[in-house]
């Protein structure tokens, strides 16, 4: 059973930083890859970043590359997203996602979703 749970988001000022985490309480997150997506009001759910669980290879959406860092803590079974230099365009609900066997960086390829956590960046 996979039940992805994101940490609480919050309100942050533009230019600030926030770190999100994701766990599968009581169970491992081990899979092929884990990812973060986000969905702004009235928009589609978009890929943010992904990491392969074993090798730690990462990919990022161009809009966040250089500002966001995805990582995983295998000992704590935790997925992390460090977000720096936040702007109003980063306001969205952020979703943790798991790919069991293939990393596609698309919504369609995700096997499991968290319920999402709201991040609001105020200008």
């Amino acid at each position: 059973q996979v039940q992805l749970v994101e940490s609480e988001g919050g309100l942050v000022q533009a230019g600030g930083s926030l770190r999100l985490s994701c766990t599968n309480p009581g169970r491992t997150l081990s899979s092929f890859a884990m990812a973060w997506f986000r969905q702004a009001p009235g928009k589609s759910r978009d890929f943010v970043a992904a990491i392969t669980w074993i090798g730690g290879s990462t990919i990022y959406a161009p809009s966040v590359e250089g500002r966001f860092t995805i990582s995983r803590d295998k000992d704590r079974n935790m997925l992390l997203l460090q977000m720096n230099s936040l702007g109003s365009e980063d306001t969205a609900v952020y979703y943790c996602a798991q790919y069991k066997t293939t990393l596609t960086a698309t919504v369609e390829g995700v096997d499991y979703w968290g319920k999402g956590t709201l991040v609001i960046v105020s200008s």
Side-chain angles (χ1 to χ4, degrees):
Q1 182 79 10
V2 176
Q3 191 171 12
L4 302 177
V5 179
E6 298 95 346
S7 59
E8 190 172 336
L11 176 65
V12 62
Q13 287 190 328
S17 299
L18 190 67
R19 190 177 80 162
L20 301 178
S21 64
C22 172
T23 60
N24 181 21
R27 292 179 170 83
T28 179
L29 274 179
S30 182
S31 60
F32 182 75
M34 297 293 299
W36 290 97
F37 285 75
R38 67 185 181 185
Q39 188 165 15
K43 297 192 176 181
S44 61
R45 191 172 297 189
D46 295 330
F47 172 79
V48 173
I51 185 168
T52 58
W53 191 256
I54 295 177
S57 298
T58 58
I59 56 173
Y60 293 91
S63 60
V64 306
E65 184 138 30
R67 300 188 299 122
F68 290 13
T69 301
I70 189 171
S71 61
R72 84 273 193 254
D73 186 330
K74 295 166 73 175
D75 291 335
R76 297 169 65 190
N77 279 303
M78 185 176 287
L79 176 71
L80 301 166
L81 183 68
Q82 177 66 42
M83 304 184 291
N84 298 328
S85 301
L86 286 162
S88 57
E89 69 277 12
D90 298 312
T91 293
V93 176
Y94 284 73
Y95 296 90
C96 176
Q98 185 180 82
Y99 292 94
K100 289 198 302 184
T101 59
T102 304
L103 172 58
T104 63
T106 64
V107 168
E108 293 74 20
V110 171
D111 293 292
Y112 297 100
W113 292 100
K115 292 184 178 180
T117 187
L118 178 61
V119 174
I120 299 174
V121 183
S122 64
S123 55

